[in-house]
Structure formats: structure tokens, C-alpha cells
Amino acid sequence: ERGGGRWSASATAKSEGYVSNIYPVDDTYRSQFRSPGLCSSGIHKQIQEGERRRDVRLQFDPQRLVARLEDRDLTDHSSPKVEQFPIPQCVQDILSAVYFARTVPMTVGKSFDFPIADGPQLIQIQVDIQGEEELSTPAGKFQTVKVEPDLFSGRLFSGKGRMWVWFTKDARRIPVQLRAQISVGTIIATLSEIGQAEQ
């Protein structure tokens, strides 16, 4: 959604099938970012993974160049863990980064990078533009550009894995599919429909 130069986006991650019996996941992410630059103003994460229950709020202050993290463990009702750390004037969260990537020229064989904050750390993420592919989804067939962000270098996520995102090759750069290979299996998110604003 967009209004007055400010954008908001949300995403959910839920386990299905037999995975839900082993390690149930029900996460919600809500991000707010602003123009120009689609710089993040903050992200709210409600995390339910296995027996873990957390409420995480990360807010960015571009005037003071500081981020404030409030991480609350909902399983023991303890006081939230609060931290602050320095940031540049424009920084991305894990959700706004997808929208920022849509604004970058994508030439196969090239790469780009940008700062992303998640938890009490600021990381420079590199994105490799790997190729062009045709993908079929419930929303239709698309010519896409495949990119791989370096999220599993040990700096942002500690576990081993790889992630790829496919954007439409046209000017809209709609994220059509996301695929992540992690220790517990493969996560796939696929575009199911396109709203009127994207057409």
C-alpha cells in the first residue's frame, strides 16, 4: 500500500503439511518505508516458530542515524531486550529490501549491494543477477530475471542455505517467486494473482 510518499508491506510465513507437525511456523512481518529511495522506517515481526514466541520491533531514525530494537520473548513474559545501533540515513529491512531491489537496473552477470538491518546488526548485502528464465505461476506465465541475495554468509542468517528471487523482466519488476533452501527443507513462495495497482 502507498500513501503520501510512505509505503507499507506485509508478509506471512506458515508451515504446511508434515512440516507443521515437526516444526510449526506462523510468522508475520509488517514493514513501513518511504520515498525517495524506499528507505525503511521500521519493521514489526511477530514470530511463532516451534516453541518460540517473539515480538520484535525495529525502528530507524534517519535524523539521528540510529536504530532501536525491541525484542520481547513472549514465552517467559520477561522485559523486552532493547538495543540501539548506528545506521546510515537510508537502510533496508528484510521486507523493504524486496521493493528496493525492484528499482535497481538488472543486467545478467552484474551485482549490486545495499545496507540491510535485521536484529542488532547492519549488514551490506550483495545481490547477484544470475540469469533470465520463463516461469509459470497461478497468476500466469512470466519472463523473469533471477537474482540471488547473499543472505547466508553467516552475517545475517547463521544457518547454511541459499535464496533466489525471480522478478518480472518488464519495468514493473514484480517478484514472481522466492525459493529458499535451508536446513529444514525448501521454502517456496509463488505469485498467485496480480492486483489492479500492479497491472
Side-chain angles (χ1 to χ4, degrees):
E1 299 177 358
R2 179 176 65 174
R6 294 187 175 272
W7 299 65
S8 64
S10 61
T12 58
K14 293 186 178 183
S15 57
E16 296 182 352
Y18 75 94
V19 175
S20 296
N21 298 325
I22 301 173
Y23 192 75
V25 173
D26 188 0
D27 297 345
T28 301
Y29 307 87
R30 295 182 178 87
S31 169
Q32 292 185 333
F33 41 102
R34 61 191 184 278
S35 298
L38 300 184
C39 308
S40 178
S41 298
I43 185 169
H44 180 202
K45 300 190 290 184
Q46 295 171 297
I47 299 171
Q48 298 184 41
E49 298 174 352
E51 297 181 354
R52 298 170 63 215
R53 300 288 188 275
R54 291 170 58 209
D55 187 277
V56 181
R57 296 179 185 271
L58 186 57
Q59 296 177 308
F60 305 117
D61 187 333
Q63 278 72 46
R64 297 174 55 226
L65 301 181
V66 66
R68 183 181 188 274
L69 171 68
E70 182 178 304
D71 190 342
R72 186 184 299 272
D73 187 337
L74 301 179
T75 59
D76 60 9
H77 305 289
S78 60
S79 299
K81 179 181 179 181
V82 178
E83 297 183 58
Q84 290 190 348
F85 57 95
I87 57 169
Q89 192 170 43
C90 185
V91 67
Q92 303 300 326
D93 61 57
I94 58 174
L95 193 52
S96 71
V98 176
Y99 289 82
F100 170 78
R102 296 173 66 181
T103 69
V104 178
M106 293 188 182
T107 303
V108 175
K110 301 292 186 179
S111 63
F112 61 92
D113 57 15
F114 56 88
I116 184 172
D118 187 62
Q121 57 184 335
L122 181 69
I123 303 297
Q124 197 75 12
I125 292 295
Q126 178 173 304
V127 180
D128 295 329
I129 305 165
Q130 296 186 337
E132 298 179 359
E133 295 183 10
E134 183 177 87
L135 285 184
S136 294
T137 76
K141 186 177 293 186
F142 299 93
Q143 300 299 321
T144 69
V145 179
K146 177 184 178 182
V147 308
E148 181 178 6
D150 182 23
L151 301 180
F152 295 94
S153 59
R155 295 173 299 167
L156 188 60
F157 297 130
S158 58
K160 293 182 178 180
R162 298 182 72 180
M163 177 185 290
W164 299 269
V165 183
W166 287 260
F167 294 92
T168 58
K169 191 179 172 182
D170 58 25
R172 299 175 298 171
R173 298 273 174 76
I174 300 170
V176 171
Q177 182 170 276
L178 180 148
R179 180 187 295 264
Q181 293 179 350
I182 56 178
S183 58
V184 297
T186 300
I187 299 172
I188 300 175
T190 303
L191 181 71
S192 58
E193 62 179 349
I194 299 177
Q196 185 175 358
E198 295 281 13
Q199 296 180 358

